[in-house]
mmCIF file with all atom_site columns, all heavy atoms in Angstrom:
data_model
loop_
_atom_site.group_PDB
_atom_site.id
_atom_site.type_symbol
_atom_site.label_atom_id
_atom_site.label_alt_id
_atom_site.label_comp_id
_atom_site.label_asym_id
_atom_site.label_entity_id
_atom_site.label_seq_id
_atom_site.pdbx_PDB_ins_code
_atom_site.Cartn_x
_atom_site.Cartn_y
_atom_site.Cartn_z
_atom_site.occupancy
_atom_site.B_iso_or_equiv
_atom_site.pdbx_formal_charge
_atom_site.auth_seq_id
_atom_site.auth_comp_id
_atom_site.auth_asym_id
_atom_site.auth_atom_id
_atom_site.pdbx_PDB_model_num
ATOM 1   N N   . LEU A 1 1  ? 9.204  -10.797 61.209 1.00 94.00 ? 104 LEU A N   1
ATOM 2   C CA  . LEU A 1 1  ? 10.172 -9.730  60.940 1.00 94.00 ? 104 LEU A CA  1
ATOM 3   C C   . LEU A 1 1  ? 11.598 -10.261 60.955 1.00 94.00 ? 104 LEU A C   1
ATOM 4   O O   . LEU A 1 1  ? 12.437 -9.814  60.167 1.00 94.00 ? 104 LEU A O   1
ATOM 5   C CB  . LEU A 1 1  ? 10.008 -8.596  61.942 1.00 94.00 ? 104 LEU A CB  1
ATOM 6   C CG  . LEU A 1 1  ? 8.763  -7.746  61.761 1.00 94.00 ? 104 LEU A CG  1
ATOM 7   C CD1 . LEU A 1 1  ? 8.593  -6.794  62.937 1.00 94.00 ? 104 LEU A CD1 1
ATOM 8   C CD2 . LEU A 1 1  ? 8.800  -6.988  60.450 1.00 94.00 ? 104 LEU A CD2 1
ATOM 9   N N   . LEU A 1 2  ? 11.897 -11.217 61.809 1.00 92.00 ? 105 LEU A N   1
ATOM 10  C CA  . LEU A 1 2  ? 13.216 -11.838 61.825 1.00 92.00 ? 105 LEU A CA  1
ATOM 11  C C   . LEU A 1 2  ? 13.490 -12.541 60.497 1.00 92.00 ? 105 LEU A C   1
ATOM 12  O O   . LEU A 1 2  ? 14.556 -12.373 59.905 1.00 92.00 ? 105 LEU A O   1
ATOM 13  C CB  . LEU A 1 2  ? 13.324 -12.829 62.991 1.00 92.00 ? 105 LEU A CB  1
ATOM 14  C CG  . LEU A 1 2  ? 14.612 -13.644 63.055 1.00 92.00 ? 105 LEU A CG  1
ATOM 15  C CD1 . LEU A 1 2  ? 15.815 -12.744 63.272 1.00 92.00 ? 105 LEU A CD1 1
ATOM 16  C CD2 . LEU A 1 2  ? 14.508 -14.696 64.154 1.00 92.00 ? 105 LEU A CD2 1
ATOM 17  N N   . VAL A 1 3  ? 12.518 -13.299 60.006 1.00 93.00 ? 106 VAL A N   1
ATOM 18  C CA  . VAL A 1 3  ? 12.666 -14.004 58.733 1.00 93.00 ? 106 VAL A CA  1
ATOM 19  C C   . VAL A 1 3  ? 12.873 -13.016 57.589 1.00 93.00 ? 106 VAL A C   1
ATOM 20  O O   . VAL A 1 3  ? 13.791 -13.155 56.779 1.00 93.00 ? 106 VAL A O   1
ATOM 21  C CB  . VAL A 1 3  ? 11.443 -14.917 58.468 1.00 93.00 ? 106 VAL A CB  1
ATOM 22  C CG1 . VAL A 1 3  ? 11.446 -15.460 57.045 1.00 93.00 ? 106 VAL A CG1 1
ATOM 23  C CG2 . VAL A 1 3  ? 11.402 -16.047 59.487 1.00 93.00 ? 106 VAL A CG2 1
ATOM 24  N N   . VAL A 1 4  ? 12.033 -12.002 57.523 1.00 95.00 ? 107 VAL A N   1
ATOM 25  C CA  . VAL A 1 4  ? 12.147 -10.998 56.460 1.00 95.00 ? 107 VAL A CA  1
ATOM 26  C C   . VAL A 1 4  ? 13.512 -10.313 56.522 1.00 95.00 ? 107 VAL A C   1
ATOM 27  O O   . VAL A 1 4  ? 14.185 -10.154 55.500 1.00 95.00 ? 107 VAL A O   1
ATOM 28  C CB  . VAL A 1 4  ? 11.000 -9.967  56.551 1.00 95.00 ? 107 VAL A CB  1
ATOM 29  C CG1 . VAL A 1 4  ? 11.233 -8.813  55.590 1.00 95.00 ? 107 VAL A CG1 1
ATOM 30  C CG2 . VAL A 1 4  ? 9.658  -10.637 56.282 1.00 95.00 ? 107 VAL A CG2 1
ATOM 31  N N   . SER A 1 5  ? 13.945 -9.939  57.719 1.00 92.00 ? 108 SER A N   1
ATOM 32  C CA  . SER A 1 5  ? 15.244 -9.278  57.885 1.00 92.00 ? 108 SER A CA  1
ATOM 33  C C   . SER A 1 5  ? 16.385 -10.157 57.395 1.00 92.00 ? 108 SER A C   1
ATOM 34  O O   . SER A 1 5  ? 17.301 -9.685  56.714 1.00 92.00 ? 108 SER A O   1
ATOM 35  C CB  . SER A 1 5  ? 15.484 -8.922  59.351 1.00 92.00 ? 108 SER A CB  1
ATOM 36  O OG  . SER A 1 5  ? 14.581 -7.952  59.781 1.00 92.00 ? 108 SER A OG  1
ATOM 37  N N   . GLU A 1 6  ? 16.347 -11.431 57.741 1.00 91.00 ? 109 GLU A N   1
ATOM 38  C CA  . GLU A 1 6  ? 17.415 -12.342 57.311 1.00 91.00 ? 109 GLU A CA  1
ATOM 39  C C   . GLU A 1 6  ? 17.454 -12.478 55.796 1.00 91.00 ? 109 GLU A C   1
ATOM 40  O O   . GLU A 1 6  ? 18.532 -12.452 55.193 1.00 91.00 ? 109 GLU A O   1
ATOM 41  C CB  . GLU A 1 6  ? 17.232 -13.715 57.962 1.00 91.00 ? 109 GLU A CB  1
ATOM 42  C CG  . GLU A 1 6  ? 17.514 -13.729 59.442 1.00 91.00 ? 109 GLU A CG  1
ATOM 43  C CD  . GLU A 1 6  ? 18.950 -13.356 59.784 1.00 91.00 ? 109 GLU A CD  1
ATOM 44  O OE1 . GLU A 1 6  ? 19.869 -13.591 58.975 1.00 91.00 ? 109 GLU A OE1 1
ATOM 45  O OE2 . GLU A 1 6  ? 19.159 -12.823 60.880 1.00 91.00 ? 109 GLU A OE2 1
ATOM 46  N N   . LEU A 1 7  ? 16.288 -12.602 55.176 1.00 92.00 ? 110 LEU A N   1
ATOM 47  C CA  . LEU A 1 7  ? 16.261 -12.780 53.717 1.00 92.00 ? 110 LEU A CA  1
ATOM 48  C C   . LEU A 1 7  ? 16.724 -11.521 52.989 1.00 92.00 ? 110 LEU A C   1
ATOM 49  O O   . LEU A 1 7  ? 17.477 -11.593 52.013 1.00 92.00 ? 110 LEU A O   1
ATOM 50  C CB  . LEU A 1 7  ? 14.867 -13.201 53.269 1.00 92.00 ? 110 LEU A CB  1
ATOM 51  C CG  . LEU A 1 7  ? 14.402 -14.568 53.791 1.00 92.00 ? 110 LEU A CG  1
ATOM 52  C CD1 . LEU A 1 7  ? 12.987 -14.859 53.313 1.00 92.00 ? 110 LEU A CD1 1
ATOM 53  C CD2 . LEU A 1 7  ? 15.360 -15.677 53.396 1.00 92.00 ? 110 LEU A CD2 1
ATOM 54  N N   . VAL A 1 8  ? 16.295 -10.350 53.457 1.00 93.00 ? 111 VAL A N   1
ATOM 55  C CA  . VAL A 1 8  ? 16.714 -9.104  52.810 1.00 93.00 ? 111 VAL A CA  1
ATOM 56  C C   . VAL A 1 8  ? 18.200 -8.841  53.082 1.00 93.00 ? 111 VAL A C   1
ATOM 57  O O   . VAL A 1 8  ? 18.925 -8.388  52.188 1.00 93.00 ? 111 VAL A O   1
ATOM 58  C CB  . VAL A 1 8  ? 15.824 -7.923  53.244 1.00 93.00 ? 111 VAL A CB  1
ATOM 59  C CG1 . VAL A 1 8  ? 16.339 -6.608  52.690 1.00 93.00 ? 111 VAL A CG1 1
ATOM 60  C CG2 . VAL A 1 8  ? 14.382 -8.169  52.791 1.00 93.00 ? 111 VAL A CG2 1
ATOM 61  N N   . THR A 1 9  ? 18.671 -9.162  54.268 1.00 90.00 ? 112 THR A N   1
ATOM 62  C CA  . THR A 1 9  ? 20.092 -9.012  54.567 1.00 90.00 ? 112 THR A CA  1
ATOM 63  C C   . THR A 1 9  ? 20.931 -9.878  53.633 1.00 90.00 ? 112 THR A C   1
ATOM 64  O O   . THR A 1 9  ? 21.994 -9.445  53.160 1.00 90.00 ? 112 THR A O   1
ATOM 65  C CB  . THR A 1 9  ? 20.381 -9.363  56.041 1.00 90.00 ? 112 THR A CB  1
ATOM 66  O OG1 . THR A 1 9  ? 19.681 -8.436  56.871 1.00 90.00 ? 112 THR A OG1 1
ATOM 67  C CG2 . THR A 1 9  ? 21.867 -9.308  56.347 1.00 90.00 ? 112 THR A CG2 1
ATOM 68  N N   . ASN A 1 10 ? 20.474 -11.085 53.333 1.00 89.00 ? 113 ASN A N   1
ATOM 69  C CA  . ASN A 1 10 ? 21.204 -11.936 52.385 1.00 89.00 ? 113 ASN A CA  1
ATOM 70  C C   . ASN A 1 10 ? 21.315 -11.269 51.018 1.00 89.00 ? 113 ASN A C   1
ATOM 71  O O   . ASN A 1 10 ? 22.356 -11.352 50.359 1.00 89.00 ? 113 ASN A O   1
ATOM 72  C CB  . ASN A 1 10 ? 20.541 -13.295 52.254 1.00 89.00 ? 113 ASN A CB  1
ATOM 73  C CG  . ASN A 1 10 ? 20.906 -14.219 53.389 1.00 89.00 ? 113 ASN A CG  1
ATOM 74  O OD1 . ASN A 1 10 ? 21.801 -13.933 54.181 1.00 89.00 ? 113 ASN A OD1 1
ATOM 75  N ND2 . ASN A 1 10 ? 20.193 -15.321 53.493 1.00 89.00 ? 113 ASN A ND2 1
ATOM 76  N N   . VAL A 1 11 ? 20.258 -10.602 50.588 1.00 90.00 ? 114 VAL A N   1
ATOM 77  C CA  . VAL A 1 11 ? 20.316 -9.884  49.308 1.00 90.00 ? 114 VAL A CA  1
ATOM 78  C C   . VAL A 1 11 ? 21.364 -8.781  49.386 1.00 90.00 ? 114 VAL A C   1
ATOM 79  O O   . VAL A 1 11 ? 22.197 -8.632  48.485 1.00 90.00 ? 114 VAL A O   1
ATOM 80  C CB  . VAL A 1 11 ? 18.932 -9.310  48.924 1.00 90.00 ? 114 VAL A CB  1
ATOM 81  C CG1 . VAL A 1 11 ? 19.036 -8.418  47.690 1.00 90.00 ? 114 VAL A CG1 1
ATOM 82  C CG2 . VAL A 1 11 ? 17.928 -10.431 48.689 1.00 90.00 ? 114 VAL A CG2 1
ATOM 83  N N   . VAL A 1 12 ? 21.336 -8.015  50.470 1.00 89.00 ? 115 VAL A N   1
ATOM 84  C CA  . VAL A 1 12 ? 22.283 -6.905  50.626 1.00 89.00 ? 115 VAL A CA  1
ATOM 85  C C   . VAL A 1 12 ? 23.720 -7.416  50.639 1.00 89.00 ? 115 VAL A C   1
ATOM 86  O O   . VAL A 1 12 ? 24.599 -6.848  49.989 1.00 89.00 ? 115 VAL A O   1
ATOM 87  C CB  . VAL A 1 12 ? 21.968 -6.099  51.906 1.00 89.00 ? 115 VAL A CB  1
ATOM 88  C CG1 . VAL A 1 12 ? 23.065 -5.091  52.207 1.00 89.00 ? 115 VAL A CG1 1
ATOM 89  C CG2 . VAL A 1 12 ? 20.616 -5.394  51.766 1.00 89.00 ? 115 VAL A CG2 1
ATOM 90  N N   . LEU A 1 13 ? 23.959 -8.500  51.358 1.00 86.00 ? 116 LEU A N   1
ATOM 91  C CA  . LEU A 1 13 ? 25.328 -8.992  51.520 1.00 86.00 ? 116 LEU A CA  1
ATOM 92  C C   . LEU A 1 13 ? 25.848 -9.803  50.340 1.00 86.00 ? 116 LEU A C   1
ATOM 93  O O   . LEU A 1 13 ? 27.054 -9.803  50.077 1.00 86.00 ? 116 LEU A O   1
ATOM 94  C CB  . LEU A 1 13 ? 25.432 -9.853  52.783 1.00 86.00 ? 116 LEU A CB  1
ATOM 95  C CG  . LEU A 1 13 ? 25.246 -9.138  54.107 1.00 86.00 ? 116 LEU A CG  1
ATOM 96  C CD1 . LEU A 1 13 ? 25.294 -10.145 55.256 1.00 86.00 ? 116 LEU A CD1 1
ATOM 97  C CD2 . LEU A 1 13 ? 26.304 -8.056  54.290 1.00 86.00 ? 116 LEU A CD2 1
ATOM 98  N N   . HIS A 1 14 ? 24.959 -10.517 49.640 1.00 82.00 ? 117 HIS A N   1
ATOM 99  C CA  . HIS A 1 14 ? 25.440 -11.533 48.716 1.00 82.00 ? 117 HIS A CA  1
ATOM 100 C C   . HIS A 1 14 ? 24.979 -11.430 47.268 1.00 82.00 ? 117 HIS A C   1
ATOM 101 O O   . HIS A 1 14 ? 25.493 -12.160 46.430 1.00 82.00 ? 117 HIS A O   1
ATOM 102 C CB  . HIS A 1 14 ? 25.048 -12.921 49.230 1.00 82.00 ? 117 HIS A CB  1
ATOM 103 C CG  . HIS A 1 14 ? 25.493 -13.204 50.622 1.00 82.00 ? 117 HIS A CG  1
ATOM 104 N ND1 . HIS A 1 14 ? 26.814 -13.249 50.986 1.00 82.00 ? 117 HIS A ND1 1
ATOM 105 C CD2 . HIS A 1 14 ? 24.786 -13.437 51.760 1.00 82.00 ? 117 HIS A CD2 1
ATOM 106 C CE1 . HIS A 1 14 ? 26.917 -13.513 52.277 1.00 82.00 ? 117 HIS A CE1 1
ATOM 107 N NE2 . HIS A 1 14 ? 25.690 -13.631 52.775 1.00 82.00 ? 117 HIS A NE2 1
ATOM 108 N N   . SER A 1 15 ? 24.034 -10.572 46.936 1.00 85.00 ? 118 SER A N   1
ATOM 109 C CA  . SER A 1 15 ? 23.428 -10.678 45.604 1.00 85.00 ? 118 SER A CA  1
ATOM 110 C C   . SER A 1 15 ? 24.046 -9.811  44.526 1.00 85.00 ? 118 SER A C   1
ATOM 111 O O   . SER A 1 15 ? 23.923 -10.135 43.355 1.00 85.00 ? 118 SER A O   1
ATOM 112 C CB  . SER A 1 15 ? 21.935 -10.344 45.673 1.00 85.00 ? 118 SER A CB  1
ATOM 113 O OG  . SER A 1 15 ? 21.750 -8.949  45.779 1.00 85.00 ? 118 SER A OG  1
ATOM 114 N N   . SER A 1 16 ? 24.614 -8.696  44.877 1.00 84.00 ? 119 SER A N   1
ATOM 115 C CA  . SER A 1 16 ? 25.080 -7.682  43.921 1.00 84.00 ? 119 SER A CA  1
ATOM 116 C C   . SER A 1 16 ? 23.938 -7.135  43.060 1.00 84.00 ? 119 SER A C   1
ATOM 117 O O   . SER A 1 16 ? 24.159 -6.582  42.002 1.00 84.00 ? 119 SER A O   1
ATOM 118 C CB  . SER A 1 16 ? 26.224 -8.200  43.038 1.00 84.00 ? 119 SER A CB  1
ATOM 119 O OG  . SER A 1 16 ? 25.765 -9.152  42.099 1.00 84.00 ? 119 SER A OG  1
ATOM 120 N N   . SER A 1 17 ? 22.711 -7.280  43.533 1.00 88.00 ? 120 SER A N   1
ATOM 121 C CA  . SER A 1 17 ? 21.542 -6.749  42.850 1.00 88.00 ? 120 SER A CA  1
ATOM 122 C C   . SER A 1 17 ? 21.412 -5.256  43.133 1.00 88.00 ? 120 SER A C   1
ATOM 123 O O   . SER A 1 17 ? 21.843 -4.768  44.175 1.00 88.00 ? 120 SER A O   1
ATOM 124 C CB  . SER A 1 17 ? 20.286 -7.471  43.340 1.00 88.00 ? 120 SER A CB  1
ATOM 125 O OG  . SER A 1 17 ? 19.125 -6.981  42.706 1.00 88.00 ? 120 SER A OG  1
ATOM 126 N N   . ALA A 1 18 ? 20.787 -4.548  42.227 1.00 90.00 ? 121 ALA A N   1
ATOM 127 C CA  . ALA A 1 18 ? 20.527 -3.118  42.433 1.00 90.00 ? 121 ALA A CA  1
ATOM 128 C C   . ALA A 1 18 ? 19.245 -2.884  43.227 1.00 90.00 ? 121 ALA A C   1
ATOM 129 O O   . ALA A 1 18 ? 19.103 -1.864  43.896 1.00 90.00 ? 121 ALA A O   1
ATOM 130 C CB  . ALA A 1 18 ? 20.435 -2.409  41.090 1.00 90.00 ? 121 ALA A CB  1
ATOM 131 N N   . GLU A 1 19 ? 18.303 -3.838  43.165 1.00 94.00 ? 122 GLU A N   1
ATOM 132 C CA  . GLU A 1 19 ? 16.999 -3.656  43.791 1.00 94.00 ? 122 GLU A CA  1
ATOM 133 C C   . GLU A 1 19 ? 16.542 -4.955  44.444 1.00 94.00 ? 122 GLU A C   1
ATOM 134 O O   . GLU A 1 19 ? 16.874 -6.044  43.979 1.00 94.00 ? 122 GLU A O   1
ATOM 135 C CB  . GLU A 1 19 ? 15.974 -3.228  42.736 1.00 94.00 ? 122 GLU A CB  1
ATOM 136 C CG  . GLU A 1 19 ? 14.603 -2.914  43.289 1.00 94.00 ? 122 GLU A CG  1
ATOM 137 C CD  . GLU A 1 19 ? 13.652 -2.423  42.216 1.00 94.00 ? 122 GLU A CD  1
ATOM 138 O OE1 . GLU A 1 19 ? 13.116 -3.265  41.476 1.00 94.00 ? 122 GLU A OE1 1
ATOM 139 O OE2 . GLU A 1 19 ? 13.446 -1.198  42.134 1.00 94.00 ? 122 GLU A OE2 1
ATOM 140 N N   . VAL A 1 20 ? 15.789 -4.823  45.517 1.00 95.00 ? 123 VAL A N   1
ATOM 141 C CA  . VAL A 1 20 ? 15.143 -5.955  46.168 1.00 95.00 ? 123 VAL A CA  1
ATOM 142 C C   . VAL A 1 20 ? 13.645 -5.675  46.223 1.00 95.00 ? 123 VAL A C   1
ATOM 143 O O   . VAL A 1 20 ? 13.228 -4.551  46.497 1.00 95.00 ? 123 VAL A O   1
ATOM 144 C CB  . VAL A 1 20 ? 15.717 -6.217  47.585 1.00 95.00 ? 123 VAL A CB  1
ATOM 145 C CG1 . VAL A 1 20 ? 15.527 -5.031  48.507 1.00 95.00 ? 123 VAL A CG1 1
ATOM 146 C CG2 . VAL A 1 20 ? 15.124 -7.484  48.189 1.00 95.00 ? 123 VAL A CG2 1
ATOM 147 N N   . THR A 1 21 ? 12.858 -6.691  45.922 1.00 96.00 ? 124 THR A N   1
ATOM 148 C CA  . THR A 1 21 ? 11.404 -6.593  45.976 1.00 96.00 ? 124 THR A CA  1
ATOM 149 C C   . THR A 1 21 ? 10.908 -7.541  47.052 1.00 96.00 ? 124 THR A C   1
ATOM 150 O O   . THR A 1 21 ? 11.319 -8.707  47.094 1.00 96.00 ? 124 THR A O   1
ATOM 151 C CB  . THR A 1 21 ? 10.772 -6.969  44.621 1.00 96.00 ? 124 THR A CB  1
ATOM 152 O OG1 . THR A 1 21 ? 11.319 -6.122  43.616 1.00 96.00 ? 124 THR A OG1 1
ATOM 153 C CG2 . THR A 1 21 ? 9.265  -6.827  44.657 1.00 96.00 ? 124 THR A CG2 1
ATOM 154 N N   . VAL A 1 22 ? 10.031 -7.039  47.910 1.00 97.00 ? 125 VAL A N   1
ATOM 155 C CA  . VAL A 1 22 ? 9.489  -7.834  49.012 1.00 97.00 ? 125 VAL A CA  1
ATOM 156 C C   . VAL A 1 22 ? 7.968  -7.815  48.910 1.00 97.00 ? 125 VAL A C   1
ATOM 157 O O   . VAL A 1 22 ? 7.352  -6.749  48.925 1.00 97.00 ? 125 VAL A O   1
ATOM 158 C CB  . VAL A 1 22 ? 9.949  -7.284  50.378 1.00 97.00 ? 125 VAL A CB  1
ATOM 159 C CG1 . VAL A 1 22 ? 9.333  -8.080  51.513 1.00 97.00 ? 125 VAL A CG1 1
ATOM 160 C CG2 . VAL A 1 22 ? 11.472 -7.285  50.465 1.00 97.00 ? 125 VAL A CG2 1
ATOM 161 N N   . LEU A 1 23 ? 7.386  -9.000  48.815 1.00 97.00 ? 126 LEU A N   1
ATOM 162 C CA  . LEU A 1 23 ? 5.936  -9.173  48.782 1.00 97.00 ? 126 LEU A CA  1
ATOM 163 C C   . LEU A 1 23 ? 5.560  -9.973  50.023 1.00 97.00 ? 126 LEU A C   1
ATOM 164 O O   . LEU A 1 23 ? 6.096  -11.066 50.240 1.00 97.00 ? 126 LEU A O   1
ATOM 165 C CB  . LEU A 1 23 ? 5.518  -9.936  47.524 1.00 97.00 ? 126 LEU A CB  1
ATOM 166 C CG  . LEU A 1 23 ? 4.046  -10.326 47.416 1.00 97.00 ? 126 LEU A CG  1
ATOM 167 C CD1 . LEU A 1 23 ? 3.176  -9.094  47.223 1.00 97.00 ? 126 LEU A CD1 1
ATOM 168 C CD2 . LEU A 1 23 ? 3.842  -11.309 46.278 1.00 97.00 ? 126 LEU A CD2 1
ATOM 169 N N   . VAL A 1 24 ? 4.681  -9.424  50.847 1.00 97.00 ? 127 VAL A N   1
ATOM 170 C CA  . VAL A 1 24 ? 4.199  -10.139 52.024 1.00 97.00 ? 127 VAL A CA  1
ATOM 171 C C   . VAL A 1 24 ? 2.699  -10.341 51.890 1.00 97.00 ? 127 VAL A C   1
ATOM 172 O O   . VAL A 1 24 ? 1.991  -9.513  51.309 1.00 97.00 ? 127 VAL A O   1
ATOM 173 C CB  . VAL A 1 24 ? 4.548  -9.408  53.344 1.00 97.00 ? 127 VAL A CB  1
ATOM 174 C CG1 . VAL A 1 24 ? 6.041  -9.411  53.575 1.00 97.00 ? 127 VAL A CG1 1
ATOM 175 C CG2 . VAL A 1 24 ? 4.005  -7.999  53.380 1.00 97.00 ? 127 VAL A CG2 1
ATOM 176 N N   . SER A 1 25 ? 2.244  -11.470 52.417 1.00 97.00 ? 128 SER A N   1
ATOM 177 C CA  . SER A 1 25 ? 0.815  -11.751 52.368 1.00 97.00 ? 128 SER A CA  1
ATOM 178 C C   . SER A 1 25 ? 0.389  -12.468 53.641 1.00 97.00 ? 128 SER A C   1
ATOM 179 O O   . SER A 1 25 ? 1.203  -13.081 54.335 1.00 97.00 ? 128 SER A O   1
ATOM 180 C CB  . SER A 1 25 ? 0.468  -12.596 51.133 1.00 97.00 ? 128 SER A CB  1
ATOM 181 O OG  . SER A 1 25 ? 1.130  -13.844 51.180 1.00 97.00 ? 128 SER A OG  1
ATOM 182 N N   . PHE A 1 26 ? -0.910 -12.363 53.926 1.00 97.00 ? 129 PHE A N   1
ATOM 183 C CA  . PHE A 1 26 ? -1.502 -12.979 55.109 1.00 97.00 ? 129 PHE A CA  1
ATOM 184 C C   . PHE A 1 26 ? -2.828 -13.579 54.695 1.00 97.00 ? 129 PHE A C   1
ATOM 185 O O   . PHE A 1 26 ? -3.692 -12.892 54.143 1.00 97.00 ? 129 PHE A O   1
ATOM 186 C CB  . PHE A 1 26 ? -1.695 -11.932 56.203 1.00 97.00 ? 129 PHE A CB  1
ATOM 187 C CG  . PHE A 1 26 ? -2.310 -12.454 57.463 1.00 97.00 ? 129 PHE A CG  1
ATOM 188 C CD1 . PHE A 1 26 ? -1.784 -13.561 58.116 1.00 97.00 ? 129 PHE A CD1 1
ATOM 189 C CD2 . PHE A 1 26 ? -3.411 -11.828 58.024 1.00 97.00 ? 129 PHE A CD2 1
ATOM 190 C CE1 . PHE A 1 26 ? -2.349 -14.036 59.290 1.00 97.00 ? 129 PHE A CE1 1
ATOM 191 C CE2 . PHE A 1 26 ? -3.978 -12.281 59.205 1.00 97.00 ? 129 PHE A CE2 1
ATOM 192 C CZ  . PHE A 1 26 ? -3.447 -13.391 59.835 1.00 97.00 ? 129 PHE A CZ  1
ATOM 193 N N   . ASP A 1 27 ? -2.988 -14.886 54.953 1.00 95.00 ? 130 ASP A N   1
ATOM 194 C CA  . ASP A 1 27 ? -4.228 -15.570 54.587 1.00 95.00 ? 130 ASP A CA  1
ATOM 195 C C   . ASP A 1 27 ? -5.066 -15.957 55.798 1.00 95.00 ? 130 ASP A C   1
ATOM 196 O O   . ASP A 1 27 ? -6.008 -16.731 55.674 1.00 95.00 ? 130 ASP A O   1
ATOM 197 C CB  . ASP A 1 27 ? -3.921 -16.793 53.725 1.00 95.00 ? 130 ASP A CB  1
ATOM 198 C CG  . ASP A 1 27 ? -3.132 -17.869 54.459 1.00 95.00 ? 130 ASP A CG  1
ATOM 199 O OD1 . ASP A 1 27 ? -2.930 -17.759 55.687 1.00 95.00 ? 130 ASP A OD1 1
ATOM 200 O OD2 . ASP A 1 27 ? -2.701 -18.833 53.797 1.00 95.00 ? 130 ASP A OD2 1
ATOM 201 N N   . GLY A 1 28 ? -4.718 -15.430 56.966 1.00 93.00 ? 131 GLY A N   1
ATOM 202 C CA  . GLY A 1 28 ? -5.428 -15.759 58.192 1.00 93.00 ? 131 GLY A CA  1
ATOM 203 C C   . GLY A 1 28 ? -4.781 -16.896 58.963 1.00 93.00 ? 131 GLY A C   1
ATOM 204 O O   . GLY A 1 28 ? -4.929 -16.985 60.178 1.00 93.00 ? 131 GLY A O   1
ATOM 205 N N   . ALA A 1 29 ? -4.069 -17.775 58.268 1.00 94.00 ? 132 ALA A N   1
ATOM 206 C CA  . ALA A 1 29 ? -3.418 -18.910 58.918 1.00 94.00 ? 132 ALA A CA  1
ATOM 207 C C   . ALA A 1 29 ? -1.897 -18.771 58.940 1.00 94.00 ? 132 ALA A C   1
ATOM 208 O O   . ALA A 1 29 ? -1.234 -19.370 59.777 1.00 94.00 ? 132 ALA A O   1
ATOM 209 C CB  . ALA A 1 29 ? -3.787 -20.205 58.203 1.00 94.00 ? 132 ALA A CB  1
#
């Protein structure tokens, strides 16, 4: 959650994008 928060915060602060897409996955490892 810390990693995801930092990456999305960078989009909010620096990208000037209208939308952010987040894909998370788990492969067991």
Side-chain angles (χ1 to χ4, degrees):
L104 288 171
L105 175 63
V106 169
V107 171
S108 294
E109 289 298 331
L110 296 178
V111 174
T112 297
N113 280 349
V114 173
V115 171
L116 293 177
H117 306 297
S118 76
S119 71
S120 180
E122 184 177 80
V123 61
T124 303
V125 178
L126 174 69
V127 293
S128 62
F129 179 52
D130 65 8

